[in-house]
Amino acid sequence: MDADELLKRYCAGERNFPQVSLHLVNLSEVCLAGINLNLANLANATLSQSNLRGANLIEANLTAAVLWRTNFSGANMILANLKAANLIRATLRKVDLHKASLAKADLRLADLHDADLSNANLAGADLRYANLTGAFLAGANLNGANLTGAKLSNTDLSHASLAKAILYKTDLSYVDFTEVDLTRVDLQHCLLHGVTLPERSLIEAG
């Protein structure tokens, strides 16, 4: 299926496109709110500035997709593959990204407020100045992630791994650090209001 056919069918009221192959398609600046793209192949696709609010993208393949300023608010992206995707300034508020792969994704300035990123793979992701306020990051893999200037206040990081992550001027106020791996992490330039770090973590972070 190409972009024109998808848009024609969507405009006619169709919403279900499970397992559709849209590899390399250009769907920039279009409205696809509420669309069902469960298990769809969108690898290397371009959906910049498009509206996918409330979309079903469970287990969708979005590897290396261009998703600059794309709006995914309230979407279901459980187990989605977003490795190396361009998500700069994307809106991912209240998105379910449980067990999703965002390894090496570019999430600079992305809005992930209240998103569910539990057990997600964010290893090596660029999260500079991203808004993760209130996000659920329990069990997430943030090894080597760049969190410079990111907002993580009131997040749940319990059992997450931040080994070798870059945290500079990161807002970690009121974060749950239960059983967090902070190996080789420097927290001295972070905001830590209302935080109690386990002694073991303090030793590892030094």
Side-chain angles (χ1 to χ4, degrees):
M1 182 182 295
D2 60 17
D4 290 338
E5 182 183 352
L6 176 75
L7 291 172
K8 182 178 180 180
R9 289 167 61 177
Y10 180 89
C11 290
E14 188 173 346
R15 293 292 181 269
N16 293 315
F17 301 92
Q19 301 184 55
V20 67
S21 180
L22 295 164
H23 177 66
L24 290 172
V25 299
N26 189 337
L27 287 164
S28 297
E29 301 181 40
V30 299
C31 180
L32 296 170
I35 194 170
N36 176 14
L37 291 167
N38 179 38
L39 289 164
N41 180 14
L42 291 152
N44 299 105
T46 299
L47 293 112
S48 295
Q49 301 186 80
S50 289
N51 180 358
L52 281 94
R53 293 175 63 93
N56 176 1
L57 288 154
I58 297 174
E59 293 189 72
N61 181 9
L62 290 147
T63 303
V66 180
L67 307 167
W68 177 74
R69 285 187 180 273
T70 304
N71 187 350
F72 291 103
S73 295
N76 190 339
M77 302 177 80
I78 294 172
L79 291 165
N81 186 351
L82 291 145
K83 291 179 182 176
N86 178 348
L87 286 150
I88 296 172
R89 292 185 180 276
T91 300
L92 296 144
R93 294 176 73 91
K94 296 185 178 181
V95 171
D96 193 341
L97 285 155
H98 176 62
K99 290 189 177 181
S101 178
L102 292 136
K104 296 185 178 180
D106 193 338
L107 289 148
R108 283 175 290 167
L109 297 163
D111 186 355
L112 291 141
H113 193 286
D114 289 331
D116 184 351
L117 289 152
S118 55
N119 296 109
N121 182 9
L122 291 145
D126 190 342
L127 286 151
R128 284 177 287 174
Y129 303 100
N131 180 8
L132 290 141
T133 304
F136 186 43
L137 285 151
N141 177 5
L142 288 150
N143 293 345
N146 189 339
L147 290 153
T148 298
K151 297 177 182 178
L152 281 87
S153 59
N154 296 294
T155 61
D156 184 345
L157 279 166
S158 58
H159 304 283
S161 179
L162 281 85
K164 301 180 183 179
I166 300 170
L167 286 89
Y168 180 73
K169 293 186 176 180
T170 307
D171 186 354
L172 298 166
S173 303
Y174 306 102
V175 168
D176 184 348
F177 276 104
T178 304
E179 297 295 326
V180 176
D181 184 354
L182 292 166
T183 303
R184 294 177 64 181
V185 174
D186 184 356
L187 295 173
Q188 64 179 353
H189 297 292
C190 296
L191 294 175
L192 294 162
H193 301 304
V195 170
T196 300
L197 291 169
E199 185 175 350
R200 184 178 63 182
S201 295
L202 286 169
I203 293 171
E204 290 175 344

